[in-house]
Amino acid sequence: MTFVDFEEVPAGIDTSRAHPARRYDYWLGGKDNFAVDRESANMLAGVFPTIRLSAIENRRFLHRVVRFLTAEAGIRQFLDIGSGLPSAGNVHELAQDIAPDSRVVYVDNDPIVLTHARALLRSTPEGRTAYLQADLHDPARILAMPELLRTIDLERPVALMLLAVLHFFDDDAEVHRLFKFLREALPPGSYIALSHATTDDEPGVDVAEREALNRRAGIPFRLRSAADLGDLCAGLDLIEPGVSALSRWRPNVPEHERARPEDICMHGVVARVP
Ligand SMILES: C[S@@+](CC[C@H](N)C(=O)[O-])C[C@H]1O[C@@H](n2cnc3c(N)ncnc32)[C@H](O)[C@@H]1O
């Protein structure tokens, strides 16, 4: 069964400023982006030329994480917040390939994602998927949405996916607040997967300058360190290898084929709720 939870009709697509979902789509080679997104993307690429590789490695990380969670950790329920536009290998496709009864709730706040949500809703008959237009700033609302509650059972382990989304949250206290709220809502045996932009792997870079560039490119985002992500996950059991460069998290290609951390500048981590 498939449902879309239309709490409010999307207010149309704003092409006057860059949006994260559309800019990311551009880096991944998609067509759902506008001149303003491409301008923003190219501005960042001018300073960090491998940023497209970074987006690709983030998707590869997502693929390995979902396989790990489904095949090794036995997870059958996913909550993917900041899911982005449908792309090659969405969470439900990867999970249901291994376990057809997997259930996935996608959440994003960008109206363009809603217009493409149909692709996220093609579930196996044994499983189920839902798409919710909602904002991560209000996690209580997300967890109370009827379509979420019809799709996943919050009494049973859930994998919360927060991939490449928390760096759009400028306020550290806010990130800690909403992360704490979500992890406390998850039963023991649940997992949380994160990926996040960093400058840890770019020695000598001026973080303030890089963040100012992000603001000029129309999408402010914060760069956080491995230590910051470790703090966020305090009290959770980190899955080996802990917080690491994306390409080094349980890689499935030989060393010489792995992207260099300095070309990605993103950390990933998967943690288990004890
Ligand atoms: C860079 S994309 C990442 C997509 C996907 N998670 C991945 O890693 O491939 C970030 C997504 O987060 C969404 N996003 C940003 N801020 C959000 C918020 N406050 N609430 C919900 N989604 C948000 C954007 O609309 C975008 O689709």
Side-chain angles (χ1 to χ4, degrees), residues 20-21 24 58 79-84 107-110 134-137 142 160-171 175 178-179 182 192-197 219-222 224 229 232 266-267:
Y24 185 64
N58 186 56
L79 174 56
D80 181 7
I81 307 184
S83 54
V107 180
D108 206 287
N109 69 345
D110 190 324
D135 200 303
L136 177 53
H137 281 106
I142 293 176
L160 170 65
M161 311 285 291
L162 291 171
L163 266 50
V165 64
L166 290 180
H167 44 227
F168 300 112
F169 286 65
D170 196 37
D171 181 343
V175 167
L178 63 89
F179 191 84
L182 287 167
I192 303 180
L194 289 178
S195 66
H196 199 292
I219 302 180
F221 75 78
R222 280 293 304 282
R224 294 190 171 93
L229 299 186
L232 204 55
M266 281 186 75
H267 290 316

Side-chain angles (χ1 to χ4, degrees), residues 150-167:
R150 278 195 289 270
T151 308
I152 57 177
D153 176 359
L154 292 174
E155 301 292 315
R156 292 176 40 233
V158 175
L160 170 65
M161 311 285 291
L162 291 171
L163 266 50
V165 64
L166 290 180
H167 44 227

Side-chain angles (χ1 to χ4, degrees), residues 50-117:
T50 52
I51 196 151
R52 188 182 288 268
L53 176 64
S54 188
I56 291 168
E57 284 295 329
N58 186 56
R59 287 305 291 187
R60 291 182 176 147
F61 172 73
L62 177 146
H63 291 192
R64 296 197 303 282
V65 168
V66 175
R67 283 198 197 100
F68 164 78
L69 291 169
T70 315
E72 295 184 45
I75 287 291
R76 296 292 178 269
Q77 307 194 101
F78 293 82
L79 174 56
D80 181 7
I81 307 184
S83 54
L85 282 155
S87 185
N90 299 299
V91 171
H92 75 285
E93 292 158 345
L94 299 160
Q96 292 181 345
D97 207 31
I98 296 168
D101 57 338
S102 299
R103 293 173 164 241
V104 181
V105 174
Y106 294 102
V107 180
D108 206 287
N109 69 345
D110 190 324
I112 195 146
V113 182
L114 179 63
T115 66
H116 290 271

